[in-house]
Amino acid sequence: MITIKSAKQVEKMRASAKITKETLELLEKHIKPGVTTAQLDKIAYDYIISKGARPNFLNYNGFPGTICASVNDEVVHGIPNKRAVLKEGDIISVDMGAVLDGWHSDAARTFGVGKISAQAQDLIDVTKESFFEGLKYLKHGAKLGDVSSAIQKYVESHGYSVVRDLVGHGIGTHLHEDPSVPNFGSAGKGVKLAAGMMLAIEPMVNAGHYKVCVLDDDWTVVTEDGSLSAHYENTVLITKDGYEILTL
């Protein structure tokens, strides 16, 4: 069931989203060669707790981390660990969220570690820009497929592919709510959008083929062909006049 958030509920989500945004900004300062994903996880955990919130990914369906830390060909759900040492030229996607007073927020960024290749930077840039291309069609009365189609077309026009097996989602008192928000599809199709809907829109883009597989840890999703992958996400409110990005 899709829920419409009241003004008071939006304020609660805005407070949660502020913590998620600030945590990602803090993590960016610590992402450099020699740092482990476990260290990044602890930084995120400590900051979220210090703000009176809690990490919503930690123990979610058994996930053992505060953040999903996905390096290079890892698409999403990479488990932070002490052996995962970041190297010059890596890219890392950090997906995370907070829950405050029962209200969730969710966002992701892909960062370069030290000096990265031009191709890796282009992949990160296209992934981020595809999110904003989709937002051009996000408004009260539009169809969700308008947003999904715009993301897909932008990504594919740059020679990359959109992951099909994983999608965005609604968000509120639960981390994952209706509707599902694909990053591919047909304009004019799908759910009719309405003011008060809160969506986690999150393009996941591969440099190669869109096919993915899950590692033996039952969490980490990787590209099937070993190509690089990038991820960009924000929690977004649909308003009467357009939208508001809460985690930016």
Side-chain angles (χ1 to χ4, degrees):
M1 184 179 73
I2 297 172
T3 60
I4 300 298
K5 275 68 177 179
S6 68
K8 182 181 270 190
Q9 292 169 338
V10 168
E11 285 307 310
K12 287 181 177 290
M13 290 192 70
R14 190 176 280 118
S16 172
K18 183 172 186 285
I19 295 167
T20 292
K21 174 183 76 79
E22 290 171 351
T23 306
L24 283 166
E25 289 170 349
L26 176 64
L27 288 172
E28 183 174 15
K29 296 173 184 174
H30 289 84
I31 290 173
K32 53 192 172 188
V35 171
T36 68
T37 56
Q39 287 174 300
L40 297 176
D41 193 71
K42 185 174 189 316
I43 290 166
Y45 177 85
D46 289 346
Y47 187 79
I48 292 168
I49 295 297
S50 78
K51 293 298 179 178
R54 62 179 176 81
N56 52 11
F57 285 19
L58 184 60
N59 300 320
Y60 183 79
N61 291 333
F63 187 76
T66 290
I67 64 172
C68 295
S70 307
V71 181
N72 296 332
D73 66 332
E74 296 173 351
V75 182
V76 284
H77 305 160
I79 298 173
N81 71 84
K82 293 175 183 175
R83 294 182 304 282
V85 182
L86 296 180
K87 305 186 303 296
E88 183 91 15
D90 284 343
I91 65 173
I92 177 172
S93 297
V94 178
D95 187 4
M96 56 144 299
V99 57
L100 180 68
D101 296 331
W103 291 90
H104 290 262
S105 54
D106 188 6
R109 306 282 185 266
T110 302
F111 304 105
V113 181
K115 183 173 174 57
I116 63 173
S117 70
Q119 188 210 14
Q121 187 62 58
D122 187 64
L123 176 65
I124 292 171
D125 294 343
V126 168
T127 303
K128 179 179 178 178
E129 191 55 40
S130 73
F131 168 88
F132 291 99
E133 284 295 313
L135 257 56
K136 291 177 180 178
Y137 299 87
L138 189 72
K139 59 185 177 182
H140 179 81
K143 291 293 184 74
L144 185 54
D146 300 343
V147 178
S148 302
S149 173
I151 292 171
Q152 180 182 11
K153 285 178 179 175
Y154 185 82
V155 168
E156 292 178 353
S157 75
H158 286 78
Y160 301 129
S161 63
V162 169
V163 173
R164 304 289 202 276
D165 292 3
L166 301 147
V167 298
H169 51 91
I171 186 168
T173 53
H174 295 85
L175 176 56
H176 293 103
E177 298 183 354
D178 290 333
S180 293
V181 184
N183 300 300
F184 58 94
S186 302
K189 305 281 189 182
V191 171
K192 189 174 182 180
L193 302 175
M197 287 173 63
M198 196 75 74
L199 304 176
I201 301 172
E202 50 178 321
M204 288 157 271
V205 178
N206 296 346
H209 199 275
Y210 65 76
K211 287 188 177 178
V212 298
C213 52
V214 182
L215 297 184
D216 290 343
D217 62 17
D218 291 329
W219 277 108
T220 309
V221 178
V222 299
T223 58
E224 200 173 83
D225 60 8
S227 62
L228 290 179
S229 187
H231 186 192
Y232 186 83
E233 176 187 19
N234 284 298
T235 298
V236 186
L237 169 69
I238 301 174
T239 66
K240 284 279 195 291
D241 304 319
Y243 61 85
E244 179 190 348
I245 306 172
L246 273 65
T247 47
L248 199 61

